[in-house]
């Protein structure tokens, strides 16, 4: 989770929303990314999806069965679905996101009958640091002229 936080910090410095994600297989990090939506002009380039893409490419496989994903914020609906499609084994996330989350908030994607693979979910890791980083980022944005 520390590495995910580093990715989030780096994303914030690039002007991206400070969220970071890391994919781990058998204790080794295979991919790490922050949000890249601005850099790539791609609304789907959330940290989780960027990290999943990177891991699949590196491993030369379509899915990531047995992999674990660490992300600093509760995944949104799009990312929760991508995590399911990738067959991620365990999802560890930092802060809850009551406004945009889809795991323990919103649509609670993994509890829906249309979800065919649900990861084990663990939350609350470094949640204060994750949430503070986002709050600081958005309060700075609001202060802009
Ligand atoms: Zn997302």
């Amino acid at each position: 989770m520390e590495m995910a936080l580093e990715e989030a910090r780096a994303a914030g410095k690039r002007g991206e929303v400070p969220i970071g994600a890391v994919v781990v297989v058998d204790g080794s990090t295979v991919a790490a990314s922050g949000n890249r939506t601005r850099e790539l002009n791609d609304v789907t380039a959330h940290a989780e999806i960027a990290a999943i893409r990177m891991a699949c490419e590196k491993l030369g496989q379509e899915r990531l069965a047995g992999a674990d994903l660490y992300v600093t914020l509760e995944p949104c609906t799009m990312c929760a679905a991508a995590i399911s499609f990738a067959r991620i084994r365990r999802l560890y996330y930092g802060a809850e996101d009551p406004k945009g989350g889809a795991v323990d908030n919103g649509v609670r994607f993994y509890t829906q009958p249309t979800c065919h693979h649900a990861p084990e979910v663990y939350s609350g890791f470094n949640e204060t640091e994750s949430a503070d980083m986002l709050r600081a980022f958005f309060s700075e944005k609001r202060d802009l002229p």
Side-chain angles (χ1 to χ4, degrees):
M1 188 54 80
E2 193 47 52
M3 196 181 291
L5 282 163
E6 272 171 38
E7 288 291 339
R9 271 188 285 271
K13 281 184 191 141
R14 297 193 306 268
E16 305 274 1
V17 177
I19 297 170
V22 175
V23 175
V24 174
V25 177
D26 295 331
S28 305
T29 300
V30 293
S33 182
N35 261 19
R36 300 177 65 193
T37 58
R38 292 185 64 182
E39 174 194 343
L40 301 175
N41 290 325
D42 178 0
V43 293
T44 71
H46 284 187
E48 300 95 311
I49 288 184
I52 286 171
R53 281 197 179 122
M54 211 178 280
C56 287
E57 192 176 334
K58 191 163 170 187
L59 299 171
Q61 56 193 52
E62 182 185 1
R63 297 190 181 89
L64 299 169
D68 301 329
L69 188 138
Y70 294 76
V71 59
T72 54
L73 185 70
E74 179 182 355
C76 72
T77 311
M78 173 179 74
C79 292
I83 287 164
S84 169
F85 296 156
R87 302 287 189 270
I88 295 285
R89 178 179 60 175
R90 296 190 185 111
L91 166 66
Y92 299 87
Y93 76 80
E96 273 198 40
D97 183 5
K99 283 187 189 161
V103 177
D104 294 309
N105 290 284
V107 300
R108 293 180 170 79
F109 185 75
Y110 301 133
T111 67
Q112 300 299 324
T114 49
C115 171
H116 306 299
H117 168 83
E120 293 170 33
V121 178
Y122 304 92
S123 61
F125 300 92
N126 304 79
E127 63 182 317
T128 311
E129 196 175 351
S130 299
D132 285 352
M133 211 183 305
L134 283 158
R135 245 190 309 273
F137 179 82
F138 285 110
S139 75
E140 262 173 49
K141 288 258 175 251
R142 276 193 296 271
D143 290 342
L144 290 175

